C-alpha cells in the first residue's frame, strides 16, 4: 500500500521540526561560541555541558510542541471523521431522512467530499424510496379498487397476496389469509385444481358456480414465471349479475314462447275443426269463429302489452306529466270499474282525503295502473267481497292503496308478482297475460315512485304505490 | 424435526379433507341444480364425482393410518387425526346423498309434474352453507361456531316439514303423483340428513378443542317429547 502523508495533516509537525532546527542552528553555535569565549576569558577548560543541555532542551520542547500541535490539529479531523462514520451507519440503518450534515470548516477537502457524497446518497435513497412508496400506493389503490378479485400464491401453495374483492369473495380477511394454504383460503376444489394447473403450465380460464351463494365466476390462472418465479396469480371476475340477466332473458324467451303457444294451439284446433266440416253448420261455425275472435283479442292484448312494456322499459314512452289532485286520479278509473265489479258480485268503493297536496303525474298512465290493480283485486276476490281504493300522504309522496279481502298472495310470491309473466296461481290467473303488474311497476317507477304489496293468504291483499308531491308544494 | 413433519402432515391431511368437503358440497348443489334443470347429463356427472369422492375418502383414510403407524401422534394431534377420520366418513356419506338426489333427478327428468324446487334449493343452500362453515370452523378450531352451526339444523328441519306437508297434501289430492312425490321425499330426506351430518362434524370440533364428546343435536330430544 502506498503511504501518503497528507500535507495538511503533516504541516504542523513539519513546521515545529523546522523551527526546532532553526533554533538549533542559530542558538547552538551562539551558545558554543559564548562557551569558548568564556573559557578563553576565564582561562578555564571549555565547558560544553550547558550547550548539551540546551540542545537537549530545545529538542525536547520542539518535539513536545510538534506532537501536541499535530494532536490538536488531527483531533479535529477525527471528530469530523466520527460524524461521517455515524452518518454512514445511520444510512445503513435506513435513517436516511435524519442525515443533515453541517458544512465542515477548516477540514480536509477529502472529508468535505465524503460528506457531500454521503448527503447525496441519502437524498437519492430518499427519492428512490419516495418513488417506490408512491408506486406501491398506486398499485395497492389499483388492487383495492379493482372489481376483480386477485390472489397470488407461492410455489408451495401459500397465499402471498389477496385484494379486497378476493377477501369478500372468500369471506376471509387478508391478515388471517396470508401464509395459509390456497385450499384453506379458497375452499373450492376447482379453484385449487386451476391453481395446480397454472403452477405447472400456461395460463388458463374457467367459469364456475361457487357454493351456496351461487356466485358465478370467471377465474383466470396466470403463472407469474420470470417476474416472480414459482408464483402464480388467480383473477376472479364475478359474473353473477350478468349470468342472472342472461337467465332472465332466456326465461323471458321461453315464457313468451309458452304464452304464445297456448292461444296459437287453440286457434289451430278451432280452424282445423272448421275445415273438417264444422263450417257446414252455421251455428257451430259461428260459435267457433267467435272463440277465434276472442283468442285473437287475447293475443293482440298480449302483444300490445309487451310492446308497451318494452317501450316503458326502454324509457321511450311519452308521459304527459301535469300537476293534478290525487283524488282526480282515483275517481275516474274507480267509477269505470264499479260496473265490472258489480257484475261479479264485488263491492268497489273509494274515498279520498280532501287535503292531499297536488302530485306530478300523467293521469292516463296512473289510470292504467289503477285499472290493472282494481281488475286484479276483483279477479282474486270471491263473490260478496270488497275492494277499496284510497290515498294518504307520506312525507313527500302521496301513497295510493287498493285493498281487497280476497284470496291473498303467498309470501314467497309477493316480491315476484311484479316480474314479467309471473303468475302466482296459474289456474286462477286464467286469461291474464302476466304482464299487468309489470307494466304498473314501470309506470310508477317512471313517475319516481315505488309499488309494493302486502298480503295475508286467504284474508286479502293491499297494493300500494307512491307518487311524488309537486315540488312547489314543498315550500308552502 | 419429527415434530415439524407431524405438523406438516396434519396440515396436508387437513387440506385434503377441505377438498373432499368442497367436492361433497358442490355435489349436493349440482344435484339439486340437475333436478331443477331436469338435466340427465348433469345428473350422470354427479355419479362420476361420487367416484372421485369415494376414492379421495380412501386416500385420506390411508394417509391418516400411515401417520398413526409412523408418527405415533399423541394428545391433541391424535384427537385431530381421529376427528378427521370421522369427518371424512361423514363427507363421503354426504356425497352419497348427492348421488341419491342425482338419481331422482334422472328419474324425474321427463316428468312434467312441478317440483317445489325453490324450497328444495333453499334447503340445499342452507345445508351446504352449514357444511362449508363447519369445515372452516374445524380448521380455525372455532368453538363458538361449532356450537352455533348445529342450531341452524332446526331451520333445515322446518323447511323439511314445510315441503313434506305441501307435497303430501298434493299427493292426497292427485294420487297419480304418488310416485313423483315419493321421489321428492327422498330428495328432501337426503338434504335433511346432510344437515344432520354437519352437526356430527361440529361435535368433532368440540372434541378436538375440549376433548369432550357431546351430542349437539337438540332437536332430537324435542322429537321424543312430542
Amino acid at each position: 500500500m502506498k503511504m501518503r502523508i497528507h500535507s495538511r495533516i503533516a504541516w504542523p509537525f513539519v513546521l515545529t521540526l523546522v523551527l526546532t532546527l532553526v533554533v538549533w542552528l542559530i542558538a547552538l553555535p551562539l551558545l558554543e561560541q559564548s562557551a569558548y569565549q568564556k573559557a578563553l576569558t576565564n582561562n578555564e577548560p571549555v565547558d560544553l555541558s550547558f550547550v548539551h543541555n540546551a540542545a537537549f532542551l530545545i529538542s525536547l520542547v520542539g518535539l513536545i510542541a510538534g506532537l501536541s500541535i499535530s494532536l490538536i490539529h488531527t483531533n479535529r479531523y477525527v471528530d469530523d471523521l466520527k460524524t461521517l462514520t455515524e452518518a454512514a451507519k445511520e444510512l445503513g440503518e435506513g435513517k436516511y431522512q435524519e442525515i443533515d450534515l453541517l458544512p465542515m470548516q477548516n477540514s480536509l477537502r477529502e472529508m468535505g467530499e465524503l460528506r457531500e457524497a454521503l448527503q447525496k446518497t441519502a437524498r437519492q435513497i430518499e427519492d428512490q424510496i419516495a418513488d417506490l412508496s408512491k408506486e406501491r400506493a398506486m398499485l395497492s389503490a389499483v388492487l383495492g379498487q379493482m372489481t376483480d378479485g386477485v390472489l397470488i400464491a407461492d410455489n408451495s401453495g401459500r397465499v402471498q397476496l389477496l385484494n379486497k374483492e378476493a377477501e369478500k369473495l372468500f369471506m376471509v380477511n387478508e391478515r388471517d389469509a396470508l401464509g395459509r394454504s390456497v385450499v384453506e383460503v379458497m375452499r373450492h376444489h376447482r379453484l385449487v385444481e386451476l391453481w395446480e394447473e397454472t403452477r405447472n403450465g400456461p395460463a388458463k380460464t374457467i367459469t364456475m358456480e361457487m357454493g351456496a351463494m351461487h356466485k358465478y365466476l370467471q377465474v383466470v390462472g396466470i403463472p407469474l414465471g420470470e417476474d416472480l418465479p414459482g408464483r402464480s396469480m388467480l383473477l376472479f371476475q364475478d359474473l353473477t349479475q350478468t349470468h342472472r340477466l342472461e337467465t332472465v332473458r332466456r326465461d323471458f324467451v321461453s315464457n313468451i314462447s309458452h304464452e304464445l303457444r297456448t292461444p296459437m294451439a287453440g286457434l289451430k284446433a278451432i280452424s282445423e275443426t272448421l275445415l273438417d266440416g264444422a263450417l257446414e253448420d252455421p251455428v257451430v261455425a259461428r260459435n267457433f269463429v267467435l272463440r277465434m275472435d276472442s283468442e285473437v283479442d287475447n293475443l293482440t292484448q298480449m302483444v300490445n302489452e309487451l310492446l308497451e312494456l318494452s317501450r316503458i322499459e326502454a324509457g321511450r314512452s311519452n308521459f304527459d306529466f301535469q300537476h293534478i289532485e290525487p283524488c282526480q286520479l282515483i275517481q275516474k278509473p274507480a267509477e269505470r270499474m264499479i260496473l265490472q265489479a258489480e257484475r261479479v258480485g264485488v263491492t268497489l268503493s273509494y274515498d279520498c282525503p280532501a287535503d292531499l297536496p297536488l302530485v306530478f303525474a300523467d293521469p292516463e298512465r296512473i289510470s292504467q295502473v289503477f285499472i290493472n290493480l282494481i281488475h286484479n283485486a276483483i279477479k282474486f276476490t270471491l263473490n260478496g267481497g270488497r275492494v277499496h281504493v284510497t290515498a294518504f300522504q307520506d312525507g313527500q309522496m302521496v301513497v295510493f292503496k287498493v285493498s281487497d279481502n280476497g284470496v291473498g298472495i303467498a309470501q314467497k310470491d309477493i316480491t315476484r308478482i311484479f316480474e314479467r309473466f309471473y303468475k302466482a296461481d296459474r289456474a286462477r290467473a286464467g286469461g291474464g297475460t302476466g304482464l299487468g303488474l309489470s307494466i304498473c311497476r314501470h309506470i310508477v317507477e317512471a313517475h319516481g315512485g315505488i309499488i309494493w304489496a302486502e298480503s295475508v293468504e286467504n284474508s286479502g291483499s293491499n297494493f300500494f304505490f307512491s307518487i311524488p308531491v309537486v315540488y312547489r308544494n314543498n315550500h308552502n | 424435526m419429527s415434530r415439524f413433519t407431524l405438523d406438516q402432515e396434519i396440515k396436508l391431511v387437513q387440506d385434503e379433507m377441505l377438498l373432499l368437503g368442497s367436492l361433497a358440497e358442490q355435489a349436493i348443489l349440482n344435484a339439486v341444480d340437475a333436478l331443477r334443470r331436469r338435466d340427465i347429463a348433469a345428473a350422470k356427472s354427479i355419479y362420476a364425482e361420487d367416484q372421485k369422492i369415494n376414492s379421495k375418502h380412501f386416500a385420506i383414510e390411508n394417509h391418516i393410518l400411515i401417520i398413526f403407524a409412523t408418527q405415533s401422534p399423541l394428545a391433541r394431534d391424535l384427537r385431530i387425526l381421529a376427528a378427521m377420520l370421522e369427518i371424512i366418513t361423514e363427507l363421503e356419506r354426504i356425497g352419497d346423498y348427492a348421488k341419491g338426489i342425482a338419481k331422482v333427478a334422472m328419474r324425474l327428468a321427463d316428468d312434467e309434474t312441478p317440483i317445489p324446487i325453490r324450497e328444495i334449493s333453499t334447503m340445499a343452500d342452507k345445508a351446504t352453507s352449514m357444511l362449508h362453515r363447519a369445515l372452516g370452523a374445524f380448521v380455525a378450531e372455532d368453538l363458538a361456531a361449532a356450537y352455533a352451526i348445529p342450531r341452524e339444523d332446526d331451520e333445515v328441519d322446518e323447511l323439511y316439514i314445510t315441503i313434506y306437508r305441501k307435497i303430501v297434501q298434493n299427493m292426497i289430492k292427485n294420487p297419480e303423483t304418488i310416485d313423483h312425490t315419493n321421489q321428492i321425499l327422498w330428495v328432501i330426506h337426503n338434504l335433511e340428513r346432510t344437515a344432520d351430518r354437519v352437526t356430527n362434524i361440529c361435535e368433532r370440533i368440540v372434541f378436538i378443542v375440549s376433548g369432550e364428546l357431546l351430542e349437539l343435536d337438540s332437536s332430537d330430544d324435542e322429537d321424543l317429547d312430542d
Side-chain angles (χ1 to χ4, degrees):
Chain A
M1 203 173 88
K2 199 173 153 193
M3 196 81 143
R4 265 183 64 198
I5 295 173
H6 199 282
S7 63
R8 287 188 70 184
I9 294 181
W11 74 258
F13 198 73
V14 173
L15 191 73
T16 32
L17 210 67
V18 170
L19 276 175
T20 315
L21 259 174
V22 169
V23 174
W24 254 59
L25 290 178
I26 297 170
L28 285 186
L30 284 175
L31 281 172
E32 205 172 349
Q33 200 186 2
S34 75
Y36 277 108
Q37 258 176 358
K38 201 177 166 190
L40 267 176
T41 329
N42 299 349
N43 204 12
E44 285 170 6
V46 181
D47 182 9
L48 284 179
S49 63
F50 176 71
V51 180
H52 291 157
N53 283 347
F56 180 71
L57 208 68
I58 290 167
S59 306
L60 199 69
V61 167
L63 198 69
I64 289 170
L67 278 177
S68 28
I69 287 171
S70 321
L71 214 63
I72 291 163
H73 193 69
T74 43
N75 249 357
R76 215 173 61 228
Y77 301 137
V78 170
D79 280 348
D80 285 351
L81 213 55
K82 269 187 187 159
T83 318
L84 290 175
T85 313
E86 279 304 309
K89 268 189 197 157
E90 280 180 0
L91 202 62
E93 285 161 11
K95 299 183 198 158
Y96 51 87
Q97 279 154 326
E98 287 155 33
I99 290 180
D100 188 20
L101 297 170
L102 293 169
M104 292 166 174
Q105 272 132 16
N106 302 323
S107 189
L108 290 176
R109 189 165 46 81
E110 282 82 350
M111 218 70 107
E113 279 168 10
L114 183 58
R115 173 190 149 265
E116 260 166 37
L118 265 177
Q119 215 151 17
K120 206 166 155 190
T121 314
R123 268 199 304 273
Q124 269 171 356
I125 291 179
E126 199 174 345
D127 287 352
Q128 273 171 4
I129 287 186
D131 281 355
L132 279 176
S133 38
K134 204 155 74 184
E135 214 164 295
R136 220 186 121 113
M138 222 146 70
L139 275 178
S140 74
V142 169
L143 276 177
Q145 297 303 317
M146 254 171 97
T147 50
D148 290 0
V150 177
L151 182 145
I152 294 179
D154 67 10
N155 206 21
S156 59
R158 307 273 138 203
V159 173
Q160 302 282 315
L161 183 144
L162 186 81
N163 76 345
K164 279 257 156 17
E165 206 51 38
E167 281 183 331
K168 262 196 276 175
L169 188 62
F170 299 118
M171 290 178 289
V172 290
N173 65 53
E174 194 187 8
R175 205 156 19 94
D176 292 343
L178 291 186
R180 288 186 180 267
S181 77
V182 284
V183 182
E184 254 187 86
V185 174
M186 303 197 293
R187 298 283 310 275
H188 198 287
H189 59 281
R190 287 200 60 198
L191 293 173
V192 175
E193 279 163 18
L194 176 68
W195 170 75
E196 269 164 7
E197 284 173 44
T198 308
R199 192 173 53 149
N200 305 316
K204 194 185 167 190
T205 305
I206 60 166
T207 51
M208 55 174 284
E209 198 172 331
M210 191 175 77
M213 307 283 285
H214 298 285
K215 289 253 185 209
Y216 199 81
L217 300 177
Q218 180 171 57
V219 193
V220 190
I222 304 162
L224 294 177
E226 282 155 25
D227 300 331
L228 293 162
R231 294 189 185 181
S232 41
M233 171 165 75
L234 296 182
L235 281 177
F236 307 91
Q237 270 179 303
D238 191 346
L239 300 181
T240 313
Q241 189 70 5
T242 326
H243 187 68
R244 205 183 61 82
L245 287 176
E246 186 66 19
T247 316
V248 168
R249 197 187 57 81
R250 225 180 9 234
D251 285 356
F252 178 71
V253 171
S254 96
N255 276 335
I256 198 168
S257 323
H258 186 80
E259 297 292 331
L260 289 171
R261 204 170 54 184
T262 318
M264 289 295 192
L267 282 173
K268 181 74 183 161
I270 295 168
S271 61
E272 273 176 358
T273 319
L274 283 172
L275 288 175
D276 283 352
L279 262 179
E280 311 308 323
D281 182 341
V283 182
V284 176
R286 189 182 157 73
N287 196 7
F288 276 131
V289 174
L290 277 177
R291 276 171 59 190
M292 283 175 84
D293 192 53
S294 94
E295 286 288 6
V296 171
D297 279 349
N298 272 343
L299 272 173
T300 315
Q301 191 199 345
M302 183 152 67
V303 171
N304 283 342
E305 284 182 356
L306 265 176
L307 281 175
E308 168 96 14
L309 188 61
S310 71
R311 262 205 301 270
I312 301 175
E313 274 183 336
R316 276 190 284 114
S317 195
N318 291 325
F319 280 71
D320 179 19
F321 288 109
Q322 43 188 276
H323 296 177
I324 187 161
E325 280 180 26
C327 296
Q328 257 179 293
L329 289 174
I330 295 181
Q331 197 183 2
K332 213 172 104 188
E335 292 288 348
R336 220 175 103 188
M337 296 299 286
I338 280 178
L339 261 183
Q340 198 177 332
E342 270 173 10
R343 215 176 297 147
V344 290
V346 173
T347 318
L348 171 61
S349 57
Y350 67 93
D351 69 65
C352 182
D355 57 345
L356 287 176
L358 291 182
V359 290
F360 194 54
D362 177 346
E364 275 306 306
R365 301 284 180 169
I366 296 298
S367 168
Q368 204 177 341
V369 174
F370 270 122
I371 285 172
N372 262 319
L373 292 181
I374 296 170
H375 186 84
N376 270 349
I378 294 171
K379 190 158 71 183
F380 292 104
T381 302
L382 306 172
N383 196 326
R386 278 177 289 107
V387 174
H388 186 75
V389 184
T390 185
F392 55 92
Q393 187 175 2
D394 181 22
Q396 294 309 311
M397 295 279 186
V398 169
V399 179
F400 299 90
K401 176 179 169 190
V402 177
S403 53
D404 66 59
N405 59 353
V407 294
I409 305 159
Q411 212 50 42
K412 67 179 171 61
D413 293 319
I414 205 138
T415 51
R416 302 200 61 199
I417 49 176
F418 297 102
E419 287 174 19
R420 275 182 303 216
F421 293 123
Y422 194 81
K423 291 177 186 171
D425 184 348
R426 292 200 161 258
R428 192 181 292 269
T433 57
L435 292 169
L437 285 177
S438 186
I439 291 175
C440 288
R441 193 188 79 192
H442 280 97
I443 293 177
V444 171
E445 283 175 1
H447 279 77
I450 49 170
I451 187 164
W452 72 98
E454 289 168 0
S455 181
V456 178
E457 240 178 314
N458 298 323
S459 67
S461 318
N462 297 321
F463 279 82
F464 303 89
F465 66 93
S466 58
I467 299 293
V469 168
V470 170
Y471 181 65
R472 169 165 62 87
N473 273 32
N474 297 352
H475 302 288
N476 288 351
Chain B
M1 178 60 204
S2 84
R3 174 78 221 162
F4 186 62
T5 45
L6 180 56
D7 269 351
Q8 271 186 331
E9 294 277 355
I10 289 175
K11 281 274 171 213
L12 278 179
V13 176
Q14 193 177 286
D15 276 1
E16 289 299 309
M17 182 194 76
L18 289 177
L19 285 177
L20 181 64
S22 157
L23 282 167
E25 187 186 328
Q26 204 59 53
I28 292 277
L29 291 169
N30 289 347
V32 170
D33 200 45
L35 185 68
R36 178 206 335 269
R37 292 189 286 119
R38 299 174 196 274
D39 185 339
I40 294 186
K44 271 192 185 142
S45 77
I46 289 155
Y47 272 64
E49 282 290 296
D50 190 56
Q51 284 295 317
K52 219 159 122 187
I53 291 177
N54 289 344
S55 56
K56 198 163 191 82
H57 168 227
F58 285 132
I60 299 174
E61 187 176 339
N62 212 22
H63 196 166
I64 294 177
L65 290 179
I66 288 173
I67 296 175
F68 277 151
T70 57
Q71 309 256 15
S72 325
L74 290 171
R76 190 186 187 80
D77 294 336
L78 184 60
R79 287 207 297 275
I80 291 178
L81 287 163
M84 287 199 283
L85 207 52
E86 190 71 30
I87 289 172
I88 55 169
T89 314
E90 304 285 0
L91 295 174
E92 192 268 333
R93 294 294 306 166
I94 292 174
D96 290 344
Y97 293 143
K99 194 166 79 172
I101 297 170
K103 192 185 262 175
V104 173
M106 280 199 290
R107 280 194 195 140
L108 296 187
D110 299 322
D111 193 333
E112 287 275 312
T113 318
I115 299 170
I117 195 66
R118 208 160 338 133
E119 290 91 336
I120 291 175
S121 280
T122 313
M123 215 174 150
D125 290 352
K126 191 82 221 169
T128 49
S129 156
M130 283 169 68
L131 171 60
H132 190 89
R133 282 175 291 132
L135 292 179
F138 180 92
V139 174
E141 297 187 0
D142 182 347
L143 209 53
Y147 282 115
I149 294 168
R151 271 181 242 134
E152 294 173 33
D153 187 35
D154 296 350
E155 291 170 43
V156 177
D157 291 347
E158 217 163 277
L159 273 165
Y160 175 81
I161 290 166
T162 312
I163 304 174
Y164 178 86
R165 289 201 180 124
K166 190 170 164 180
I167 58 180
V168 167
Q169 255 173 10
N170 188 44
M171 181 162 79
I172 293 166
K173 264 192 273 174
N174 309 305
E176 70 277 9
T177 63
I178 285 179
D179 180 51
H180 177 271
T181 304
N182 252 321
Q183 306 283 343
I184 298 299
L185 276 177
W186 181 241
V187 170
I188 60 173
H189 169 79
N190 277 0
L191 292 174
E192 193 265 332
R193 292 299 297 150
T194 301
D196 289 346
R197 299 276 166 185
V198 176
T199 303
N200 293 348
I201 293 174
C202 292
E203 283 165 11
R204 296 291 141 180
I205 303 172
V206 176
F207 169 65
I208 293 177
V209 180
S210 68
E212 277 177 277
L213 275 172
L214 290 178
E215 275 287 336
L216 292 179
D217 194 355
S218 53
S219 55
D220 276 1
D221 309 337
E222 288 161 21
D223 289 347
L224 285 178
D225 293 341
D226 283 346

